[in-house]
């Protein structure tokens, strides 16, 4: 199972791929230019790891708190990937991350500590 993580709620845009054996991450500055190329960054990251969007079976997306534009773009892209690939979509909060360890998200999911049915972003002021 390939888990793909999108976290744009903070000062960096972070993408991560986590499977049973290994994990990969990349980051970009949280800037308008990078949001203009958001999907291209995702495709390039996956391509470098010899993966395709269709390989993703679960997407985790940070729902905040964070800036409006950052959360809206990351959530929209995550939902689009989820719908087009029939991948499970899971929202998490920044506080769910312990020491920025994204592998912990998969452990929390196994413990059923996330709600998948409706993802509502939490905007900061």
């Amino acid at each position: 199972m390939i888990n793909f993580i999108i976290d744009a709620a903070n000062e960096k845009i972070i993408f991560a791929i986590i499977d049973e054996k290994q994990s990969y991450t990349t980051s970009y500055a949280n800037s308008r230019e990078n949001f203009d190329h958001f999907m291209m960054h995702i495709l390039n990251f996956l391509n470098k790891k010899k993966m395709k969007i269709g390989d993703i079976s679960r997407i985790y997306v940070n729902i905040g708190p964070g800036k409006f534009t950052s959360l809206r773009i990351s959530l929209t892209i995550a939902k689009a990937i989820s719908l087009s690939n029939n991948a499970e979509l899971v929202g998490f909060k920044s506080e769910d991350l312990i020491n920025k360890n994204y592998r912990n998200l998969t452990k929390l999911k196994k413990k059923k500590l996330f709600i998948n049915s409706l993802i509502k972003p939490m905007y900061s002021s």
Side-chain angles (χ1 to χ4, degrees), residues 38-52:
F38 200 82
M39 194 64 202
M40 186 179 295
H41 289 317
I42 289 174
L43 294 173
N44 288 338
F45 176 54
L46 291 171
N47 191 39
K48 284 180 185 174
K49 302 305 173 192
K50 300 194 183 333
M51 296 181 180
K52 296 179 264 183

Side-chain angles (χ1 to χ4, degrees), residues 16-27:
I17 299 168
I18 298 175
D19 64 19
E20 291 80 22
K21 298 176 186 171
Q22 44 197 340
S23 63
Y24 308 100
T25 60
T26 191
S27 64

Side-chain angles (χ1 to χ4, degrees), residues 59-78:
I59 302 168
Y60 293 87
V61 61
N62 191 336
I63 60 170
K67 294 178 182 176
F68 178 83
T69 303
S70 301
L71 296 180
R72 293 308 300 168
I73 290 173
S74 59
L75 188 54
T76 300
I77 296 292

Side-chain angles (χ1 to χ4, degrees), residues 28 45 51 82 86 93:
Y28 299 89
F45 176 54
M51 296 181 180
S82 172
N86 201 24
K93 299 174 190 167

Side-chain angles (χ1 to χ4, degrees), residues 88-100:
E88 181 180 9
L89 181 61
V90 179
F92 70 93
K93 299 174 190 167
S94 295
E95 65 193 40
D96 294 330
L97 286 175
I98 301 166
N99 298 325
K100 297 267 185 185

